Amino acid sequence: MPRLLNLGSLCIDRVYQVDKIATAGETVSSKSFAIYPGGKGANQSLAAAKAGADVYHHGCLGEDGAWLIDVLCDGGVNADGVFVLLDGETGHAVIQVDEAGQNSIVIAGGTNRRISLDMMEKVVRSMQDDDWLLLQNEINDLETVLELSAKHRGHVAFNVAPVDGREQNYDLANVEILIVNEIEAGALSATSNPIESLEVLCARYPDTHVVLTEGADGLRYGLGSLRHQLPAFKVQAVDETAAGDAFIGYFMASVLRGDDMLEAIQHGSIAGAYAVTKPGAGVSIPTTSQFKEFKKTLS
Ligand code: RIB
């Protein structure tokens, strides 16, 4: 059975419920505050494991975030590859969520930016032919990870999120699945129109499956000259945080099962829609039974 090896971030999410997301120069009071497990990497691992995949998370924490290991294990993720750095502070996110469920996120890299070369090499070398390496843009030295994985067996999926300028230096030629939202696609393609972004990315990487998510506007999928556009499910938004991560986890689990791309995208979209209806990140990802029940409610 193929495995999903996720070399990715783990964060402590500090979530503030606000009437309106603060703009430049503004101070706003929050209506409530909560701490949740997060980090795009950990969220995606949890989602893939909940969807039935065999998931191995690799990453670094400080002692303050050691509880995230229990969260991963309780969610069915193998966390043997998660290390606690005694002199480090866990990555964290400050998240504002407004009445409409929209968010604004600031991340502090912390130990997510302290992945050693040795760790990168070990993860990549442990890959078998059918395994998938899943990456997000929240750890350090992704150029190196991409370079190492290009020389090794196995498949690579990369969610280039969030963009921070480093992505301009990445060689994505070996990435088999590229998952980006419209902002990330824009940064990679130097155009702000998602239709054009998809054209640029598919032309630049003709053998790469490109999944371009657009939130409530659905998503676009491209491979070479093939194109599909899929609408989003209409749901009552509570908190959009980690909707993309729920999508990716369920999508990847489906890919690992051997489903075709459109079926995998459908699974991802249902999980993403579910996550939007719940507060928090890692905790908003559906279990398989929640997924099945929720699916029945969608038209
Ligand atoms: O995708 C949502 C995640 O982004 C949050 O959990 C936060 O930690 C940031 O990494």
Side-chain angles (χ1 to χ4, degrees), residues 9 11 13 37-40 43 92-93 95 105 107 138 241-242 245 281-282:
S9 57
C11 285
D13 285 359
K40 292 185 193 304
N43 297 340
H92 74 263
I95 305 179
I105 304 182
I107 53 170
E138 288 186 337
T241 310
D245 300 330

Side-chain angles (χ1 to χ4, degrees), residues 81-125:
V82 177
F83 294 96
V84 175
L85 307 181
L86 297 178
D87 61 342
E89 197 174 314
T90 303
H92 74 263
V94 173
I95 305 179
Q96 299 177 59
V97 180
D98 73 9
E99 297 274 88
Q102 292 182 304
N103 65 22
S104 154
I105 304 182
V106 178
I107 53 170
T111 46
N112 291 321
R113 296 299 186 104
R114 290 188 49 196
I115 310 285
S116 66
L117 177 60
D118 184 52
M119 187 168 176
M120 292 171 188
E121 284 175 338
K122 278 193 181 129
V123 175
V124 171
R125 283 209 200 103

